[in-house]
Structures are given as C-alpha cells and as structure tokens.
Amino acid sequence: MATSAATAVQQAATKAPFKIGTKQVFLPNHVIAFIRPKPRQPPNLATFVVPLTFNKLDLRDYLYHVYGVEVTSVRSFINQPAPQRKKYTGQWFRPRAQKMMIAELVKPFVWPEPLPEEERDAFDYKMFSRMAKYRKDMEKQLYEKPDPKLRTQKPEPEPVVGLKQQVKEIIESGEWTNEKTLNVKWLDAQWKEVEKDIKF
Amino acid sequence: MASSAAIRPAMGALGRISSTTTTAATAAVTPRQTLSALLPHQQIASISTTAVLLKRHKYPGARDNRDYSKKRGESAIRRTGTRWRLSMSDEPLPRPVSKEALPPIETDPNHGLWEFFYDRKKIVQTPEQDAAHGRAWTVEELRHKSWEDLHKLWWVCVKERNRIATANWERRKQKLGFGEAEAEARDRTVRSTMRAIKHVLTERFYLWEDARKLAENDPEVDLSGNGPAFTPRQYLESEEPAEGEPQAAEGQAEKAAVEAAVDPAMITTSASQSQQAETRL
C-alpha cells in the first residue's frame, strides 16, 4: 500500500505543471475559505482567506493537490485590523491579522449571484435585519453625541397637527358643530329650572 | 492625415537631399515652394551652396569634423520631420469591446473550486440543513480502521471545514441571516472527528514504540533485519534455530515483530476522550 501511495505521489509530481517539493504533509490542519470576488474582479482571479503561516507556493500546491485547480500565479496580502480596546479593562490590543491570497486561475470561475432577499426566509432574514437595525440604533444612542433640538426645530407631534387643522377649519367656516346627538334629558325642552330650589 | 504622417520621414529625407526640388511623391506644396514662386529673382540651386563641413583638415592631429548637432536641419516651420525613421505601422488597432457585448463566461461544471460550496446556487446551507448531521466518529470506531482509511477521513474533514468557513464568510458578508451557531456546531463535530483520528494514530505510535522496546529483549525476535524476524521457541525446542536463514523483507520482519509483541485487545482507551459529538462525516 505504501508503494502504491509512493507511485501515486510520483505520478502527481510528473503530471503537475510546476516543480513539486519533497516535503510531504499528511495531516494538515489549515482552514481555507473561498471568498466572493469584488464586483469588478475578473473571473480568472479567485480570492482565499488562508492561515497566516501560508505562503504563495503553499496555496498553489494545496489547490492543485486537494482540489485539482491549476493556478498560474498567486498574490498575497495581509489585512491588518485597527487597534481595539478590551471590553472591561480598556486595554489596547491589536486583533490578529488576516492573510488573503488571490490566485490566477487557468480555468475561470464565475461565482453564482448572491441569494436575493426574498429567498432568505430559511435564514430568518426578517428577524435578522430587524435585530441588526435595533442594535445599530442602540449603538447610535449609546455612543453618538445626543443632538437635542429646540422645540421649534422638532417636528410637531401628531395631536398638535390635528388640533391646529381643526382650529383652522373653524376659523375659516366661522361655525362649529359638535356633531354629537345629545341625550334627550339634556335638551332644552326637557330642562326646567327650578327656581324655588335656588336660595340666596 | 495618417498617410501624410506615414510619409513624413521620407519627406524629411528628400528635403535633406535636395531642399528645393519637387517630387511627385510629395503632393503637398511646401511653404518654401510658394515662397520661391513669389520671389522669382532669388537664386534657386538644386544643390546646397552653403559651406558644407568640408574635410579640409587632413593632417595628423587635426580636429575631427563630426557634426555635433544631432538635430541639424530639422525644422518645424519647414516640416522636415526627424532625421531618423520613426517606427510606425499602419496596422489597424483593436477597438475596445464593452463587457456586456462579450459572451458570458461559462464555468466548467467539473471545476475543482465547486467543492468549496455546499450548493452551487446558494453556496450556504440553511440552518436546518447545517444542523441535520450525526455525531462524530469515536476513537473506538476509528481504532479498527487502517491508516489509508484514517487518512481519507482526515481529508474529508479538511474539505468540510473549508466548506463551512466559506459559507460562514458568505453568510456574514452578504448578511443572509442567522445560522452561525449551527455552522459552529457542525465545525465542532468535524473537529472532534479529527481529534479522534490523531488520538488513534498517537496510540498506535506509542504501541509501536513499546513493542520495539520489548522486542529488543525478546530472544524470539530478531531486529537486526538479517535473519527471520520472529522465531517461535516452542516449535524449535529440541534443536537450535538455524541462523542466517533466508527470509522475508525487512519491512515485513518489523511488522511481524510488532504484531507478535502487541495484542490489540489489550489496548485501553483513555477515559478523558469525550464522545458527546454527533456525526459520522
């Protein structure tokens, strides 16, 4: 079995379009993420997030041996995050950097379109976006400077707007009706003032 | 205009040969010619009458007679052109085509990068699909597997983790919705399988080491690799075993030694191995 594995390695080495190294890696622990390209990125460029220990040759060999993808060249860069403060102590620290590599593919690869919002029900997108909005509002309330406005600059509350409208109508028409039918006992015909009850 | 630009150096060269003669090739009338037509009394010669840089000094040590002005005779007014030929071609230049006019690029259905996705359309699995997985492989199950099997399983796990990482990135960047916790649980399950594989392989290595140590002191086992690796005593009690007997290869000898020294049933597991995981990936 070992000899068959050795011959397989030998065959792969002869077939590979580049010179293969001698170091054999049996149980690698790397995790590589394939990233959606930027909107105007040509389809022969594929972006990956790789471990910081990776180099260009590693990615080339990895893609060829694991996924059978041929690559003509690899570009790499590191995204350095901004310093942050720790939650409770307030100590400054810099989060771990992230390495990205862009491989030039022999065969182009076009990514499928992103999932439209209507088809995200399985991910509970409505609740997700509501929560995101709430969180954003809370953050704004917490961390942004309050901007108290003068009463004249504020939009008028709804009841005030309604009342003003009614007043305007009354002034224009010059009359006012209650538009409510009163109970019979309150009508003038029913009402008799009892003078004897009034004592001065 | 392009044709006139193309013959410009030729015109310059002609001008240098004879500044006043008109040729059929130069259809354009130069200002100098019009000037000469207007002024008929001016002397016109077909050869230059100015004092040429004559090579008068021929004695040894005389100053050299080179023309140090590289642009002598060039004139924008007279449109002489340059003294040397310009490299030009009248091949039609390609015209840019807009991206929309080009045919759409088709991806190979057997492209290796498809293996980074769960679904070729969606890329990301829904939380329900992510959560629908079993438990991890246990150490006890993996003890019965060969190295080839374990190695294959390891690579299956590696690819699965890459898929999960790709889906996580896509879900976060496109703001698809929830599902991070389910993906994390799935990843944890895969990792526990990988840990079990390493556990089994480490166990095997320790056993091999111990077996080797035992074999060094065992009279029945010969680790030199020259003779038979294992010579059971009970069958050859009466007579001395013959030495230097031709036997199997060295690798087989070692294997036999390990098998002889180690009883697989005696292997004990460490109780610390957590077996709460759920998948068989």
Side-chain angles (χ1 to χ4, degrees), chain B residues 6-47:
Chain B
I7 60 165
R8 242 181 107 198
M11 281 169 68
L14 284 167
R16 278 197 300 284
I17 292 162
S18 59
S19 56
T20 51
T21 49
T22 54
T23 46
T26 54
V29 181
T30 57
R32 182 154 186 170
Q33 283 170 330
T34 54
L35 197 69
S36 62
L38 286 168
L39 304 166
H41 60 273
Q42 201 175 357
Q43 189 193 353
I44 297 165
S46 62
I47 54 157

Side-chain angles (χ1 to χ4, degrees), chain B residues 155-170:
Chain B
W155 278 103
V156 168
C157 291
V158 165
K159 284 191 172 184
E160 179 70 17
R161 287 197 76 195
N162 287 353
R163 266 194 292 271
I164 292 169
T166 303
N168 275 343
W169 189 279
E170 177 74 3

Side-chain angles (χ1 to χ4, degrees), chain A residues 1 26-28 31-36 43 62 66-67 98 107-112 114 120 122-123 125 128, chain B residues 105 107-108 111-112 116 120 123 125-127 148 151 154-155 158-159 162 166 169-170 174-178:
Chain A
M1 207 57 201
F26 289 99
L27 303 171
V31 178
I32 284 166
F34 184 26
I35 302 307
R36 180 180 286 279
Y62 190 94
V66 184
Y67 290 97
Q98 183 185 51
K107 286 193 284 183
F109 186 86
V110 183
W111 269 64
R120 295 183 196 170
F123 297 92
Y125 177 69
F128 178 81
Chain B
I105 298 160
T107 314
D108 182 10
H111 204 297
F116 276 96
R120 293 197 176 195
I123 299 165
Q125 276 191 327
T126 60
E148 275 73 28
H151 199 200
W154 180 273
W155 278 103
V158 165
K159 284 191 172 184
N162 287 353
T166 303
W169 189 279
E170 177 74 3
Q174 301 294 326
K175 295 191 174 65
L176 294 182
F178 294 109

